[in-house]
Amino acid sequence: MGAFCSSDSEDSRFLSNAIDAQINKDRKKKQIKILLLGTGESGKSTIAKQAKIIHEAKFTDEESETIVRTIISNVLEGVITLVDLVNREDLLQSFLPETKEEMEFYSSNVSQDSSLSNAVIQATKTIWSDPAVKKYIHKNINKFKACDSLCYFLDNWETVSQSDFRPTHKEILLARTKTTGITEIKFTEGDVTYLFVDVGGQRSERKKWIHCFQDVVAIIFCVALSEYDQVLEEDRFKNRMEEAASLFKEIVELNWFTETRIVLLFTKEDLFREKIASHDLKNCFPNYEGGCDYENAIRFLGDHFARLANRGDKLRMYTINATDTERVRTILKEIKPTFESGIVHL
């Protein structure tokens, strides 16, 4: 019987040691939760995809197929917008005869969700080959969603429209889709798990944000620089930059985030640089006096958002093209210590 007692004691010690070892192992688990916020079309979902690409997390076949459908939908939506604008402004006669014919085909037969038939492929190709179409789009850039992406895919339509097309990393980043719900991207470096949480930026989606506020180490807030003279899709009377500024102020003042690290990314820098040369920032900010000058405008916007945040030197700000992988990589590397100082032990 003594032998049995000895065995029970040894088993208990073994079990106790195993539990202690597991507790110690669990203590070593660390998570950095990063919340991506901003208004719709601010570039935050592109940053999330960049994080996945940079950390070599592969896109599944199903994800790639979804992205291909998104790209096709982006192109069809863009051409439909073009045709609608041309018809509304009664400019059909400004284009080549074959272009007019294919625009009429689009008006009657093509929707954003149309299948990619040979007729649709050819009509799209013909329309884009007309120099007057390119000129019209660039002249009316504010009337098209993600014009840079649209023009890229139309320039590469021969490849994109193939049945065996598989998107490159660049094309994955250029694909534009409205984020709904909550999307998580997770990867591990050593004993640290990084969790990027991307949520929809449209007003109707923001009520879901509160479900993501627990244990947030850092917020990456994206503001699209080039949208300073554009209005919201969901509210044609509200300037997009004003909406971004109001939302940013609201977020940084929440009690949830008084100690949270804030990184402000001014996205679409390339489009802004092009636009500011001829569209004065004063149209959106009456107290701006810097003229059509890129450096003056960036300095003004940085100061404006810094005042809203009232975080002193704790606010990190960067200008960026969200599709520039190397630039995103550099910034994530630079702000990594900021994230790690707020590690949550799971």
Side-chain angles (χ1 to χ4, degrees):
M1 184 154 180
F4 280 108
C5 288
S6 173
S7 176
D8 287 345
S9 178
E10 289 176 5
D11 287 346
S12 295
R13 281 198 301 273
F14 177 80
L15 180 59
S16 177
N17 289 338
I19 291 172
D20 289 342
Q22 185 61 47
I23 290 172
N24 288 331
K25 183 178 180 181
D26 289 342
R27 281 176 179 165
K28 292 179 181 178
K29 291 181 180 179
K30 303 169 186 176
Q31 176 173 281
I32 295 176
K33 181 178 178 181
I34 301 160
L35 193 56
L36 289 158
L37 297 180
T39 56
E41 301 178 50
S42 61
K44 56 187 179 54
S45 297
T46 306
I47 297 296
K49 288 187 283 188
Q50 286 279 27
K52 188 169 185 174
I53 289 169
I54 289 168
H55 292 88
E56 299 180 351
K58 293 183 178 179
F59 290 85
T60 64
D61 289 343
E62 183 179 353
E63 286 174 324
S64 293
E65 289 170 7
T66 298
I67 290 166
V68 170
R69 289 195 295 271
T70 297
I71 290 171
I72 299 303
S73 179
N74 289 167
V75 173
L76 297 185
E77 181 183 14
V79 178
I80 289 168
T81 298
L82 166 71
V83 173
D84 287 347
L85 287 169
V86 166
N87 286 331
R88 197 179 311 150
E89 297 169 12
D90 197 22
L91 294 174
L92 200 57
Q93 301 306 317
S94 305
F95 302 97
L96 296 171
E98 57 269 29
T99 305
K100 290 190 291 182
E101 183 178 339
E102 297 297 12
M103 283 186 174
E104 289 168 355
F105 168 80
Y106 246 87
S107 294
S108 305
N109 299 283
V110 183
S111 72
Q112 188 178 337
D113 301 317
S114 291
S115 58
L116 211 55
S117 65
N118 289 334
V120 173
I121 292 172
Q122 186 57 50
T124 307
K125 181 179 178 181
T126 299
I127 291 170
W128 186 240
S129 65
D130 188 336
V133 167
K134 298 181 178 67
K135 184 176 180 180
Y136 179 86
I137 288 179
H138 286 295
K139 185 179 179 182
N140 297 275
I141 191 169
N142 284 354
K143 298 176 182 178
F144 294 87
K145 291 182 181 178
C147 192
D148 53 335
S149 300
L150 173 63
C151 292
Y152 172 88
F153 290 128
L154 285 168
D155 282 340
N156 294 276
W157 184 240
E158 200 73 44
T159 300
V160 170
S161 60
Q162 295 296 315
S163 59
D164 60 351
F165 168 64
R166 288 295 173 267
T168 62
H169 282 166
K170 178 178 181 178
E171 288 155 351
I172 287 171
L173 294 171
L174 286 172
R176 295 289 183 262
T177 185
K178 184 184 294 184
T179 303
T180 56
I182 300 167
T183 302
E184 296 185 349
I185 293 177
K186 185 183 290 189
F187 54 87
T188 302
E189 284 187 358
D191 63 345
V192 179
T193 297
Y194 288 83
L195 177 63
F196 280 76
V197 181
D198 178 25
V199 291
Q202 281 74 23
R203 287 177 175 177
S204 60
E205 293 291 318
R206 294 175 199 166
K207 59 182 179 290
K208 304 173 186 176
W209 289 10
I210 195 169
H211 301 298
C212 309
F213 287 175
Q214 190 76 35
D215 296 329
V216 172
V217 170
I219 290 172
I220 296 179
F221 194 97
C222 295
V223 176
L225 285 168
S226 61
E227 296 182 348
Y228 65 92
D229 61 348
Q230 295 175 247
V231 294
L232 294 178
E233 183 177 343
E234 59 267 47
D235 182 353
R236 295 295 178 181
F237 296 98
K238 184 67 173 179
N239 177 277
R240 290 193 180 197
M241 184 70 79
E242 289 178 357
E243 176 86 349
S246 298
L247 182 60
F248 178 68
K249 187 175 189 296
E250 182 181 340
I251 290 296
V252 298
E253 289 180 348
L254 288 175
N255 289 333
W256 284 91
F257 303 129
T258 53
E259 300 299 323
T260 304
R261 291 130 189 90
I262 307 290
V263 178
L264 180 61
L265 293 185
F266 287 119
T267 62
K268 305 187 181 181
E269 184 268 345
D270 55 339
L271 298 178
F272 177 73
R273 187 183 291 272
E274 181 180 338
K275 182 182 286 188
I276 196 65
S278 57
H279 294 75
D280 200 324
L281 193 63
K282 193 176 182 67
N283 296 329
C284 176
F285 296 94
N287 59 331
Y288 171 71
E289 300 293 346
C292 293
D293 181 88
Y294 172 83
E295 297 297 339
N296 288 343
I298 287 292
R299 192 178 305 111
F300 176 88
L301 290 171
D303 290 345
H304 179 68
F305 276 83
R307 285 193 299 272
L308 293 176
N310 196 25
R311 295 286 182 106
D313 59 3
K314 293 182 180 179
L315 175 67
R316 308 289 293 273
M317 290 188 288
Y318 300 88
T319 58
I320 190 173
N321 297 326
T323 55
D324 184 343
T325 301
E326 290 311 309
R327 173 69 171 151
V328 174
R329 189 195 307 275
T330 298
I331 290 175
L332 290 180
K333 184 177 180 180
E334 186 174 323
I335 61 181
K336 188 177 177 183
T338 303
F339 296 159
E340 291 176 344
S341 63
I343 283 175
V344 174
H345 291 264
L346 300 177

